């Protein structure tokens, strides 16, 4: 089956489309689906520029006429990245501001953005592993990354891999 991100993309923009314009994104997704009223086309252009400046596996790095990251459209891969980005976060950024007076509490009372099996591009049994997944996790604000280190019996060097599975190694 399709991933949820692709189902939503198809529903909003059409199954046959691979690219969505900033205007379509603003109207069909941010305004009609997310009910965000304070977002402007300039905000979307800035966000698209950031998304298109990243090199994403399976995506096309879109470049505008000026040689900089395209700010007018994104592809499905950048769309998926947007859905996991801070710009699509459910938390109000104003409420995420650090209040140093609250830092005296036990560690268990804090939420820490962490990641498990970060390197996997899919399921935990047979998917590919990629260094790019660590880059994406850090881009999303992850503060704690897991590294499953194993001895590589062939090379004699450590590798990152989900042990006792058929996932690929890094």
């Amino acid at each position: 089956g399709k991933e949820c991100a692709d189902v939503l993309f198809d529903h909003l923009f059409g199954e046959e489309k691979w690219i969505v314009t900033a205007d379509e994104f603003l109207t069909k997704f941010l305004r009609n689906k997310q009910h965000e009223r304070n977002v402007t086309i300039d905000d979307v252009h800035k966000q698209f520029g950031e998304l298109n400046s990243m090199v994403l596996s399976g995506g096309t790095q879109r470049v505008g006429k000026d040689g900089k990251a395209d700010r007018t459209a994104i592809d499905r891969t950048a769309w998926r990245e947007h859905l996991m980005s801070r710009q699509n976060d459910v938390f109000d950024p104003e409420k995420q501001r650090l209040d140093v007076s609250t830092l005296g509490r036990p560690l268990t009372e804090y939420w820490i953005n962490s990641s498990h099996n970060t390197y996997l591009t899919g399921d935990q049994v047979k998917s590919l592993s990629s260094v790019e997944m660590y880059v994406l996790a850090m881009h999303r604000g992850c503060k704690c990354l897991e590294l499953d280190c194993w001895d590589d019996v062939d090379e004699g060097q450590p590798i990152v891999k989900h042990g006792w599975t058929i996932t690929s190694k890094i």
Side-chain angles (χ1 to χ4, degrees):
K2 286 186 176 180
E3 289 187 26
C4 291
D6 288 322
V7 171
L8 182 58
F9 188 97
D10 292 347
H11 173 74
L12 291 171
F13 310 114
E15 285 187 45
E16 70 288 345
K17 290 189 80 167
W18 179 254
I19 305 291
V20 61
T21 68
D23 289 327
E24 291 173 306
F25 183 85
L26 178 63
T27 304
K28 293 180 180 179
F29 179 64
L30 293 178
R31 297 246 167 93
N32 295 347
K33 191 71 172 171
Q34 300 285 77
H35 303 287
E36 294 186 31
R37 302 291 177 234
N38 297 329
V39 181
T40 67
I41 194 69
D42 289 336
D43 296 329
V44 174
H45 286 157
K46 180 180 179 205
Q47 197 169 356
F48 277 20
E50 291 171 7
L51 287 166
N52 285 324
S53 69
M54 298 170 47
V55 178
L56 301 171
S57 178
T60 304
Q61 191 170 18
R62 299 183 52 79
V63 179
K65 293 175 186 169
D66 60 359
K68 295 181 180 174
D70 185 4
R71 298 166 57 95
T72 63
I74 56 171
D75 64 16
R76 283 179 179 260
T77 304
W79 157 261
R80 286 185 212 103
E81 179 58 25
H82 164 76
L83 292 179
M84 299 299 295
S85 72
R86 285 187 176 165
Q87 287 80 10
N88 196 46
D89 204 333
V90 297
F91 296 108
D92 180 354
E94 290 300 314
K95 294 184 177 162
Q96 292 182 2
R97 292 185 186 259
L98 180 63
D99 179 2
V100 293
S101 68
T102 64
L103 295 180
R105 307 295 307 158
L107 186 59
T108 55
E109 293 183 18
Y110 297 95
W111 182 79
I112 299 171
N113 189 347
S114 62
S115 179
H116 177 68
N117 293 338
T118 310
Y119 46 86
L120 296 176
T121 61
D123 68 69
Q124 296 186 39
V125 178
K126 60 185 184 302
S127 67
L128 297 175
S129 301
S130 170
V131 172
E132 181 180 274
M133 300 308 291
Y134 284 111
V135 173
L136 290 175
M138 289 185 285
H139 176 73
R140 293 176 182 154
C142 188
K143 303 294 184 211
C144 177
L145 295 171
E146 174 192 35
L147 297 171
D148 286 338
C149 297
W150 295 77
D151 290 329
D152 186 347
V153 292
D154 299 327
E155 302 285 328
Q157 297 290 320
I159 58 170
V160 174
K161 171 181 175 45
H162 197 279
W164 299 297
T165 66
I166 58 173
T167 60
S168 63
K169 65 182 179 181
I170 298 179

